[in-house]
Amino acid sequence: MVGGGNLFRGRTAAEAGMDRATADYAGMLATVINGLALQDALEREGMQVRTMSAISVAQVAEGYIRRRAIRHLEKGRIVLFVAGTGNPYVTTDTAAALRGVEIDAARLLMAKNGVDGVYTADPAIDPNARRYASISYRDAIAQNLGVVMDTAALSLCEENDLPILVFDIARPDAIVQAVMGGSVGTLVGPEATRLAGAAE
């Protein structure tokens, strides 16, 4: 699932006075732009990519159809989901959780920029903040840890037993470690909450 916050944030525009639904649709279009840029970058590396949009932009992306997306994955193609769910008032976090459940993903990777996991407090404010190696869905929701994802998305992942790995995309080899199951970031799932560095 491709986001668009670097170009346009619907919530921010709505807070500034823009009609919320219109702002959210503009945000969806921003994700399409980012999706096309990412598609091009991946194709230049020799990968087969399909971009699927939840809103109709037939000239630049396929419409999202679940069975077609699964077929692309079965053929070894990378599938980029853009335009969220196609509905205003729904975050890309929730869209990512929904698509992950729909395609029967093994894990949802939440790539953050400059955030290497989930902490007991904001590490920029509290020098004693510690990173969780793992945290349960319930604890993440109860502690209102918005850095993971919004509550609706967390609940959807919990209901469908879809683990979430929160990691810093800017760290060298972080994406490789995340995909290969290495020790990186914070795993959110049914597991008991455990701080990084704590005894097993």
Side-chain angles (χ1 to χ4, degrees):
M1 175 60 61
V2 180
N6 59 313
L7 298 177
F8 189 94
R9 287 191 181 276
R11 180 176 296 175
T12 302
E15 289 171 354
M18 189 174 184
D19 174 74
R20 175 62 191 272
T22 302
D24 282 353
Y25 280 118
M28 290 178 217
L29 293 175
T31 73
V32 175
I33 293 170
N34 278 346
L36 293 176
L38 180 56
Q39 172 187 285
D40 180 75
L42 292 170
E43 287 178 340
R44 282 188 278 117
E45 293 296 322
M47 301 175 192
Q48 292 190 39
V49 185
R50 296 293 184 272
T51 300
M52 306 190 82
S53 175
I55 58 176
S56 180
V57 284
Q59 287 81 357
V60 295
E62 294 182 34
Y64 172 73
I65 298 173
R66 175 181 171 270
R67 289 170 62 89
R68 184 178 292 172
I70 291 171
R71 186 64 179 144
H72 285 320
L73 293 168
E74 289 172 346
K75 290 184 176 181
R77 297 167 180 152
I78 295 171
V79 179
L80 304 178
F81 299 116
V82 299
T85 65
N87 301 292
Y89 307 101
V90 179
T91 67
T92 51
D93 284 352
T94 299
L98 177 62
R99 295 292 183 252
V101 170
E102 286 182 310
I103 65 172
D104 196 26
R107 182 178 286 185
L108 181 59
L109 304 181
M110 291 290 291
K112 302 290 187 175
N113 189 11
V115 178
D116 68 345
V118 181
Y119 282 76
T120 55
D122 187 341
I125 298 172
D126 184 352
N128 296 315
R130 296 183 63 191
R131 182 175 62 82
Y132 290 108
S134 65
I135 186 169
S136 69
Y137 300 113
R138 288 285 95 198
D139 284 347
I141 292 171
Q143 295 179 40
N144 195 27
L145 297 174
V147 70
V148 181
M149 54 173 44
D150 63 63
T151 302
L154 268 171
S155 297
L156 183 59
C157 289
E158 180 183 27
E159 290 167 10
N160 293 277
D161 196 23
L162 177 60
I164 309 153
L165 182 66
V166 182
F167 68 99
D168 184 2
I169 190 68
R171 293 183 63 179
D173 296 326
I175 187 70
V176 174
Q177 290 293 319
V179 171
M180 300 301 291
S183 180
V184 62
T186 298
L187 183 65
V188 184
E191 301 87 354
T193 295
R194 183 170 59 86
L195 290 167
E200 296 289 343

